[in-house]
Amino acid sequence: MKLSKFIFITLILLSSFGCKKKEVSESDFEKEVINSVFLEIVDSIYMDRRTMYPPPMPRLDFKTNKEDTIGYHDKLKRYQVEQDSIKNDKNRILIGVYDYVINNKIRNEKFDLTPFKNNKKFEFQYASKFPEERFWDINDKKSKMPVGTIKVYKIDFNETRTYGVLSARASCGGGKCGRGFEITIENKSGKWHITNIVETWVS
């Protein structure tokens, strides 16, 4: 009786250990895949609030029935000079990254930004470091706030783990502009890359 009880408990413990080990393995695999495609995702979908809004078009003067272009061309010229300055700026682009990958097995762990700290194009900071997006002044182009944010969601893999689909969101802050995407990734020759991006919503 004691022997059978011992065997039963042993089997339960081994079963629990095996499940936990499999879960950790899946978590590590997802982390590895997300890390391998993260920069490609950001570069494909990020929104830079500094480049979003050119001067509004001239209004129609109802008295003369002509466009009121006074000062418009000067504003447009200044905008174009500013855009050239942004394009030629060698400083890294600050992006706010939401702290957690949403709805997956690694949700309780912060998304690790360490692998990307030496990226030459982007500087990444956790979005939680800054005020809520809805309070951002998106017209302030010289602030030290991120130019936008990125949020990524869990990856749904196929059975052989060679293909996956995930959702992602990019925003310019201020709660006034954002876009959603469905991103298809595939493992080709041992490396993960984006194979398709579909825009799913715009605000």
Side-chain angles (χ1 to χ4, degrees):
M1 182 72 177
K2 289 183 178 179
L3 181 61
S4 61
K5 188 175 182 181
F6 173 77
I7 293 172
F8 177 74
I9 293 171
T10 303
L11 288 172
I12 293 293
L13 290 172
L14 287 173
S15 175
S16 299
F17 175 77
C19 292
K20 189 172 183 181
K21 187 174 181 183
K22 183 179 179 183
E23 184 176 316
V24 170
S25 175
E26 289 176 2
S27 173
D28 289 343
F29 177 74
E30 186 168 1
K31 285 181 187 177
E32 183 181 326
V33 175
I34 286 177
N35 285 350
S36 66
V37 295
F38 180 69
L39 288 175
E40 191 176 356
I41 289 172
V42 173
D43 203 29
S44 300
I45 71 171
Y46 82 96
M47 301 175 75
D48 189 334
R49 63 191 173 85
R50 301 172 300 171
T51 63
M52 296 298 295
Y53 301 107
M57 292 297 291
R59 292 176 298 178
L60 191 67
D61 187 326
F62 292 105
K63 292 181 179 179
T64 62
N65 205 29
K66 294 181 180 179
E67 288 184 337
D68 182 8
T69 58
I70 296 175
Y72 173 74
H73 296 295
D74 287 338
K75 289 179 183 178
L76 185 60
K77 188 175 182 179
R78 285 198 299 271
Y79 173 78
Q80 290 168 341
V81 169
E82 186 180 64
Q83 294 306 296
D84 289 339
S85 175
I86 292 169
K87 290 177 183 177
N88 295 327
D89 187 357
K90 301 302 180 183
N91 292 320
R92 295 193 297 168
I93 301 169
L94 179 58
I95 301 285
V97 180
Y98 274 78
D99 299 35
Y100 299 93
V101 175
I102 306 300
N103 297 327
N104 72 346
K105 294 180 180 179
I106 59 175
R107 182 188 168 105
N108 293 328
E109 299 178 40
K110 259 191 173 182
F111 179 46
D112 187 9
L113 295 176
T114 307
F116 318 108
K117 66 179 181 179
N118 295 322
N119 184 262
K120 293 181 179 179
K121 182 174 181 178
F122 298 109
E123 176 188 351
F124 298 109
Q125 297 284 346
Y126 290 116
S128 61
K129 180 180 177 181
F130 305 97
E132 287 185 50
E133 277 193 75
R134 59 195 177 99
F135 297 122
W136 293 12
D137 180 3
I138 61 173
N139 296 313
D140 182 2
K141 299 179 181 180
K142 295 182 179 180
S143 72
K144 294 182 180 179
M145 299 288 288
V147 301
T149 64
I150 294 288
K151 181 187 288 186
V152 291
Y153 294 75
K154 71 180 289 291
I155 305 173
D156 291 317
F157 294 102
N158 63 346
E159 290 185 4
T160 57
R161 293 185 177 183
T162 57
Y163 173 95
V165 178
L166 71 149
S167 296
R169 194 198 87 168
S171 169
C172 68
K176 296 182 179 179
C177 53
R179 295 184 294 172
F181 303 89
E182 183 178 86
I183 301 172
T184 304
I185 59 175
E186 195 169 344
N187 189 332
K188 293 183 177 180
S189 303
K191 292 184 178 181
W192 287 90
H193 289 290
I194 294 173
T195 55
N196 193 38
I197 298 178
V198 177
E199 190 172 84
T200 54
W201 58 266
V202 179
S203 66

